[in-house]
Amino acid sequence: MRIDVLSLFPEIIENYCQTSILGLALKQNLYQLNTHNPRDYSKDKHHKVDDTPYGGGAGMVLAPQPFLDCLGEVTVMSDNCVTRAPQDPQLQLSKLRSFGTRKPCSRTPQQAPYPETLEIIITSPSGQPLTQELARELSTKKQLVILCGRYEGFDQRIRDKATMEISIGDYVLTGGELAALSIIDATLRHIPGVLGDPQSLEDESFSKLNYLEKLKELQVSKKEMLSFLEETGISREELEELQLLEHPHYTRPADFRGDRVPEVLESGNHKKIFMWRLAEAIKLTRLKRGDLLN
Ligand code: SAM
């Protein structure tokens, strides 16, 4: 996957992506990161990127020219074509071909402008919420281009060029970099090889799993199943597609200042451990995020 981030503070993005698991994945070429500073594209003699809002009001608005020229410069790759952002109709094929062996895209700006494998994402409090499901979907794309706002946000004409807007929560940050990093981090975890153990993804909060299938695989008896369903208040049908928060974790020592690890976790009985974890996850989800069970 290729990720391009447009930000007035690209070092925030670069520093995070060069650290820990994402840093390792970058070194292993599991994804490519390009940052672009729209200020470098400003045609203003002072490299201004913002201006006062039409109609008055507080704050400054990010102006279309630096962001859209920068976006136009971001080379866009997809499965079977190479194209550029549609606002740059004068694309030079020789430049595009030098990108690789892929065919230049025959789309014109009037046609569907972006390939399905590309998302141009505006970070915004009014975007769709970032969820585990959305992150998984984004991980199937070839390229993400993420625009980070500042000040009062983007001129609408920049927003109009995006394929989606994403919010990381119902609060307002000073800039889109944390949102971009949340999108990048949550997405890259779904790329094979990024996490050491792919099982980690399955066992995590918000994964939608067929637990009935798993219980069957563990050869849970009819009697055990009935008492499990009664204890957890979940139906067989619900078990087939459950989205849960994660169960509690424990590590050594088994006894920390008199506080003991639940006995079942030391039993070595995989079936019992799985059923205990699942029951705890259901309890926790009902307590903290009942909406996930509805
Ligand atoms: N005036 C905007 C509003 O009320 O929606 C807020 C602008 S905010 C101060 C500046 C930038 O931070 C936004 O353009 C966006 O890129 C980013 N941002 C702030 N909160 C965000 C959130 N919850 N999710 C995603 N991006 C956010």
Side-chain angles (χ1 to χ4, degrees):
M1 168 180 281
R2 174 181 159 147
I3 299 175
D4 291 88
V5 182
L6 277 60
S7 163
L8 299 173
F9 302 96
E11 62 282 4
I12 300 176
I13 306 292
E14 289 157 9
N15 287 340
Y16 186 86
C17 289
Q18 281 164 5
T19 308
S20 185
I21 291 178
L22 297 197
L24 198 61
L26 194 56
K27 276 197 193 134
Q28 291 170 336
N29 221 15
L30 293 174
Y31 73 106
Q32 288 89 47
L33 176 75
N34 306 290
T35 57
H36 313 267
N37 191 338
R39 199 176 290 285
D40 298 339
Y41 294 79
S42 172
K43 295 210 159 101
D44 177 81
K45 67 174 176 199
H46 302 296
H47 300 288
K48 248 175 71 158
V49 290
D50 56 350
D51 215 328
T52 51
Y54 269 113
M60 300 293 272
V61 175
L62 292 169
Q65 181 273 315
F67 272 84
L68 292 186
D69 281 359
C70 181
L71 185 59
E73 273 299 303
V74 174
T75 307
V76 173
M77 287 169 59
S78 78
D79 230 4
N80 49 13
C81 70
V82 175
T83 184
R84 298 194 132 195
Q87 64 275 16
D88 181 14
Q90 305 301 321
L91 46 89
Q92 294 166 13
L93 293 185
S94 58
K95 248 189 178 175
L96 292 175
R97 285 198 183 102
S98 72
F99 204 87
T101 53
R102 292 157 197 268
K103 284 186 288 173
C105 185
S106 56
R107 279 185 189 80
T108 66
Q110 287 76 37
Q111 289 172 318
Y114 299 121
E116 283 277 302
T117 51
L118 162 76
E119 291 295 346
I120 305 223
I121 301 166
I122 289 269
T123 53
S124 160
S126 36
Q128 71 179 101
L130 178 62
T131 60
Q132 186 78 340
E133 186 51 28
L134 177 56
R136 199 198 51 72
E137 245 177 82
L138 292 177
S139 73
T140 64
K141 306 286 172 181
K142 291 264 176 219
Q143 186 178 11
L144 305 181
V145 180
I146 309 177
L147 281 71
C148 304
R150 284 268 153 182
Y151 321 126
E152 276 312 309
F154 299 99
D155 181 289
Q156 184 59 37
R157 289 160 293 184
I158 306 174
R159 296 172 76 163
D160 290 343
K161 294 288 186 272
T163 58
M164 62 164 72
E165 294 199 10
I166 297 182
S167 163
I168 59 164
D170 290 348
Y171 42 80
V172 179
L173 301 163
T174 55
E177 286 74 16
L178 282 176
L181 287 172
S182 302
I183 296 166
I184 293 171
D185 193 315
T187 299
L188 287 176
R189 301 179 87 253
H190 294 270
I191 304 264
V194 170
L195 294 184
D197 182 355
Q199 183 69 28
S200 314
L201 257 185
E202 261 215 9
D203 291 346
E204 270 175 339
S205 299
F206 306 115
S207 311
K208 255 190 200 151
L209 288 181
N210 185 336
Y211 289 99
L212 189 63
E213 212 43 56
K214 298 228 165 234
L215 290 168
K216 278 184 190 162
E217 277 167 28
L218 287 165
Q219 299 184 334
V220 171
S221 70
K222 237 181 178 174
K223 195 171 155 209
E224 284 170 324
M225 180 69 88
L226 279 177
S227 79
F228 180 82
L229 296 178
E230 198 175 321
E231 185 199 329
T232 58
I234 289 279
S235 69
R236 273 179 89 88
E237 294 69 43
E238 284 172 316
L239 272 179
E240 282 179 278
E241 200 190 54
L242 262 185
Q243 197 181 20
L244 297 173
L245 300 180
E246 200 184 33
H247 57 76
H249 287 290
Y250 292 89
T251 185
R252 274 181 275 272
D255 185 332
F256 181 68
R257 298 174 186 165
D259 199 353
R260 277 206 70 81
V261 166
E263 220 177 299
V264 60
L265 296 180
E266 293 187 275
S267 69
N269 183 327
H270 293 308
K271 181 166 74 177
K272 279 194 174 155
I273 292 174
F274 182 86
M275 291 175 82
W276 180 84
R277 285 180 166 163
L278 181 53
E280 287 297 307
I282 293 171
K283 229 189 284 173
L284 259 177
T285 309
R286 188 165 284 130
L287 190 70
K288 296 183 174 176
R289 288 292 304 274
D291 57 301
L292 294 177
L293 296 176
N294 297 331

